Amino acid sequence: GIQVEQSPPDLILQEGANSTLRCNFSDSVNNLQWFHQNPWGQLINLFYIPSGTKQNGRLSATTVATERYSLLYISSSQTTDSGVYFCAVVVRDSNYQLIWGAGTKLIIKP
Amino acid sequence: NAGVTQTPKFRILKIGQSMTLQCTQDMNHNYMYWYRQDPGMGLKLIYYSVGAGITDKGEVPNGYNVSRSTTEDFPLRLELAAPSQTSVYFCASSYRMTGGLNTEAFFGQGTRLTVV
């Protein structure tokens, strides 16, 4: 089946820094979503981005489907950005189920 | 706008007990899902449903049952709780448009279950 790999697995930054999180996938996907799981366990939809670029405040995402990767950019990090960021893809042959990466754990220090 | 609502938020069960995790959505979504998340891991699919009356197994269905009698509700049943079922459970839904690919998934707040 399709493999979804996220990098880096862990990232520790000072408040105000910028970061780039990467999601590689091994096969064609229909759609891709980025989620933020906060320290309380809530899953928050960040982007629904099968292709192209989207921006929402300090966050932006780019998916290059033909090259099988997506990037999540976080600028001017705040402590509230801490948590785990997951990439999940939707595959045509799996009845449109989400296939998840292992996540990037981000810690923003004040 | 409630979205996906799960109850309860927390539960402690003894080994061998049974319980039902409730999930309801008000977005008229066709697809609904149950996932579990073990500590430090991503989510794994337990069961899913593509519409009322239709359910199918995901990656880790053993020890669980589901039903989908209405579009809105998708309860998850644990019959004989085991310590291995200690996890956080998430319910999700998405709307699959005919001829389109609108499959953005929306998640509930999660249920933290401990089996002792």
Side-chain angles (χ1 to χ4, degrees):
Chain A
I2 189 169
Q3 303 297 315
V4 181
E5 295 179 352
Q6 291 187 242
S7 59
D10 300 279
L11 189 56
I12 301 174
L13 297 171
Q14 288 295 133
E15 200 167 24
N18 302 329
S19 59
T20 301
L21 282 58
R22 187 175 182 103
C23 173
N24 291 336
F25 39 97
S26 60
D27 205 346
S28 300
V29 299
N30 283 42
N31 290 312
L32 185 145
Q33 284 184 250
W34 282 98
F35 296 89
H36 175 214
Q37 188 166 39
N38 65 23
W40 296 271
Q42 276 184 289
L43 270 172
I44 300 160
N45 286 28
L46 295 178
F47 293 102
Y48 170 73
I49 185 165
S51 63
T53 297
K54 289 186 177 180
Q55 179 150 11
N56 184 3
R58 296 181 294 103
L59 273 63
S60 64
T62 296
T63 296
V64 184
T66 52
E67 297 186 21
R68 299 182 182 169
Y69 72 89
S70 183
L71 301 173
L72 177 70
Y73 305 97
I74 305 173
S75 64
S76 304
S77 298
Q78 300 176 357
T79 55
T80 52
D81 294 331
S82 296
V84 182
Y85 289 80
F86 288 103
C87 163
V89 301
V90 175
V91 182
R92 182 179 292 114
D93 292 336
S94 66
N95 211 7
Y96 298 96
Q97 299 168 33
L98 280 167
I99 311 295
W100 295 76
T104 291
K105 185 173 182 179
L106 177 63
I107 297 173
I108 304 297
K109 293 188 170 182
Chain B
N1 195 3
V4 180
T5 303
Q6 288 181 237
T7 56
K9 289 195 172 75
F10 305 93
R11 184 73 187 268
I12 298 174
L13 279 182
K14 293 185 178 177
I15 294 172
Q17 285 185 318
S18 61
M19 76 164 293
T20 299
L21 282 66
Q22 301 292 345
C23 176
T24 188
Q25 53 92 9
D26 62 359
M27 297 175 281
N28 200 31
H29 283 172
N30 297 324
Y31 282 52
M32 294 188 75
Y33 313 84
W34 275 105
Y35 291 89
R36 62 176 286 173
Q37 185 182 28
D38 298 328
M41 309 287 284
L43 278 69
K44 292 185 178 180
L45 184 66
I46 305 171
Y47 270 96
Y48 67 99
S49 169
V50 302
I54 306 170
T55 63
D56 208 346
K57 296 177 180 178
E59 184 183 356
V60 289
N62 292 343
Y64 307 95
N65 278 301
V66 293
S67 59
R68 184 96 181 269
S69 56
T70 65
T71 299
E72 295 79 18
D73 301 307
F74 190 40
L76 177 72
R77 179 89 179 154
L78 282 72
E79 290 295 348
L80 290 169
S84 60
Q85 293 178 304
T86 294
S87 191
V88 180
Y89 292 83
F90 289 97
C91 178
S93 71
S94 64
Y95 181 55
R96 166 99 166 90
M97 293 175 66
T98 300
L101 292 170
N102 185 1
T103 58
E104 183 176 7
F106 297 86
F107 281 77
Q109 300 270 51
T111 297
R112 190 174 295 273
L113 176 67
T114 302
V115 182
V116 296

